[in-house]
């Protein structure tokens, strides 16, 4: 059965007041480097797009934006580091927004939600199911049959249970009715490389983490978690997962940079302006998206939050249905009966 994600948006006096405050706030002029913590290993999807975006922000701000990889606990360790740091504008994080929004549901971080962050989105990514080039599986249907027959002996490489690859695998398992044996790495890039080298039989990480391995003939892409084929230069179109699982619920997975929402208003006003003027028109970010199978989709603030909520709702409610949620999604304002956002 198709599941529809509905998003209820309200415009409150608080939102209007916040927007006015940011508009009137004075320009922020940082006087020292900014730490941008990527809570995953080097080479993964978050690391890749962050290293494209950070220099744009650094040039506009006139200070270094230092990307620091701090992996562990499916991104929760680095994210907690940012929450623990002074909320003065000098410590940011980067991630898939669905992670930051649902860490409380997964039990990896307590008392957090999407509204702890001011959101700056850059691209949308899609997971791809791939196998080593010499794998016996030549299409997803064959892999699906093997998973249904003896999934515990089919090893799947991901960056962890709350990573894009981990949540994609869990969703595939629920829809396809199979068990699996997940091997966890400190990032999507390492998971893809491990699969290409034969350490795992498949991976479900993002296209951007696999593109060069697919183009180089080291990975064979079997399916993209989308209802449309994924077209990458130099390879055959990757067929959509709906060819085999037509009723699978899907939502774009948005990535970006996140700043604690209670930093000084002049910090947010300045970053909003830079995102609108520089990042949303950045040719280097557009080129990255085109070359690696991502969707160029910069946004910030209320618009970014609205774009993020469908995948947040999808992942939170899917975790509840699979029995993996430590806290009910209602604790972060999500009603899974209607698959919609509610007042919290």
């Amino acid at each position: 059965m198709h599941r529809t994600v509905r998003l209820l948006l309200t415009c409150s006096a608080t939102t209007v007041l916040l927007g006015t405050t940011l508009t009137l706030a004075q320009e922020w002029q940082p006087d020292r480097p900014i730490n941008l913590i990527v809570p995953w290993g080097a080479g993964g999807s978050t690391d890749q797009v962050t290293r494209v975006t950070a220099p744009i922000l650094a040039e506009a701000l006139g200070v270094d934006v230092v990307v620091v990889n701090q992996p562990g606990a499916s991104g929760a360790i680095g994210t907690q580091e940012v929450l623990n740091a002074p909320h003065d504008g000098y410590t940011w994080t980067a991630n898939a927004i669905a992670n930051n929004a649902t860490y409380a549901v997964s039990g990896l971080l307590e008392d957090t939600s999407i509204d702890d962050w001011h959101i700056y989105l850059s691209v949308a990514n899609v997971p791809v199911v791939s196998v080593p080039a010499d794998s016996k599986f030549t299409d997803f249907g064959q892999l699906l049959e093997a998973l249904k027959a003896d999934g515990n002996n089919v090893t799947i490489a991901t960056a962890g249970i709350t990573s894009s690859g981990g949540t994609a695998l869990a969703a595939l398992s629920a829809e396809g009715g199979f068990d699996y044996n997940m091997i966890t790495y400190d990032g999507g890039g390492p998971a893809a490389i491990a699969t290409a080298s034969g350490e795992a039989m498949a991976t479900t990480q993002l296209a951007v983490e696999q593109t060069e391995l697919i183009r180089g003939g080291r990975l064979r892409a079997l399916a993209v978690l989308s209802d449309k084929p994924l077209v990458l230069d130099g390879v055959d179109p990757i067929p959509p997962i709906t060819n085999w699982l037509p009723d699978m619920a899907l939502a774009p997975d948005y990535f970006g940079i996140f700043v604690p929402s209670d930093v000084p208003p002049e910090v947010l006003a300045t970053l909003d302006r830079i995102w609108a003027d520089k990042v949303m028109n950045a040719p280097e970010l557009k080129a990255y998206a085109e070359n690696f199978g991502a969707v160029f989709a910069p946004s910030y603030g209320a618009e970014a939050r609205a774009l993020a909520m469908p995948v947040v709702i999808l992942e939170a409610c899917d975790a509840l249905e699979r029995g993996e949620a430590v806290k009910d999604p209602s604790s972060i304002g999500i009603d899974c009966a209607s698959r919609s956002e509610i007042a919290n």
Side-chain angles (χ1 to χ4, degrees):
M1 178 182 297
H2 285 287
R3 291 174 290 184
T4 301
V5 176
R6 293 192 296 112
L7 179 61
L8 304 180
L9 298 177
T10 60
C11 182
S12 65
T14 302
T15 304
V16 174
L17 179 60
L18 176 60
T20 303
T21 301
L22 295 186
T23 301
L24 297 178
Q26 66 184 16
E27 186 79 0
W28 179 49
Q29 296 181 325
D31 58 8
R32 61 185 186 274
I34 293 161
N35 284 332
L36 177 45
I37 295 178
V38 172
W40 304 96
S45 54
T46 303
D47 184 67
Q48 287 179 16
V49 72
T50 302
R51 291 182 185 276
V52 174
T53 311
I56 303 170
L57 299 168
E59 181 178 2
L61 289 168
V63 297
D64 290 337
V65 176
V66 182
V67 178
V68 180
N69 294 95
Q70 192 172 349
S74 293
I77 291 175
T79 305
Q80 184 68 68
E81 187 74 14
V82 178
L83 291 170
N84 290 344
H87 292 189
D88 55 8
Y90 288 91
T91 308
W92 312 341
T93 190
N95 211 334
I97 187 57
N99 288 332
N100 289 61
T102 61
Y103 276 132
V105 173
S106 63
L108 293 171
L109 292 177
E110 294 184 359
D111 300 323
T112 62
S113 75
I114 194 171
D115 291 319
D116 290 329
W117 307 99
H118 197 68
I119 304 166
Y120 298 93
L121 300 180
S122 51
V123 298
N125 284 316
V126 287
V128 169
V129 182
S130 294
V131 295
D134 60 356
S135 172
K136 65 182 180 180
F137 304 118
T138 60
D139 65 38
F140 180 76
Q142 294 173 352
L143 176 61
L144 182 59
E145 288 179 7
L147 286 164
K148 287 182 175 181
D150 191 15
N152 287 320
N153 284 319
V154 178
T155 53
I156 314 288
T158 80
I161 57 172
T162 66
S163 70
S164 297
T167 56
L169 178 55
L172 286 166
S173 170
E175 190 69 25
F178 59 80
D179 295 325
Y180 55 86
N181 181 357
M182 184 168 67
I183 305 174
T184 300
Y185 294 83
D186 280 337
I193 292 169
T195 305
S197 67
E199 289 182 23
M201 297 169 68
T203 184
T204 51
Q205 287 297 137
L206 295 169
V208 295
E209 296 159 334
Q210 302 184 46
T211 298
E212 290 305 314
L213 295 168
I214 294 169
R215 284 197 182 112
R218 298 184 59 195
L219 284 177
R220 178 188 300 144
L222 303 183
V224 57
L225 268 68
S226 172
D227 59 357
K228 297 179 178 62
L230 177 63
V231 178
L232 300 174
D233 287 342
V235 298
D236 293 335
I238 302 170
I241 195 67
T242 49
N243 284 2
W244 294 275
L245 300 172
D247 294 332
M248 186 168 182
L250 302 163
D253 198 3
Y254 287 93
F255 284 66
I257 290 171
F258 316 129
V259 180
S261 57
D262 58 351
V263 300
E266 62 267 24
V267 174
L268 298 180
T270 301
L271 291 177
D272 285 358
R273 178 188 59 76
I274 292 172
W275 210 263
D277 293 347
K278 302 295 184 180
V279 177
M280 294 179 74
N281 301 294
E284 54 268 64
L285 185 58
K286 290 181 181 178
Y288 166 78
E290 290 172 359
N291 290 334
F292 289 90
V295 177
F296 179 72
S299 64
Y300 63 94
E303 179 186 359
R305 189 187 186 283
L307 288 170
M309 282 310 299
V311 71
V312 172
I313 292 169
L314 180 66
E315 294 199 5
C317 295
D318 280 0
L320 180 67
E321 289 183 2
R322 294 191 299 265
E324 297 172 358
V326 174
K327 293 187 70 173
D328 192 280
S330 61
S331 65
I332 60 168
I334 294 172
D335 175 49
C336 288
S338 61
R339 293 248 168 177
S340 64
E341 190 174 5
I342 55 175
N344 186 27

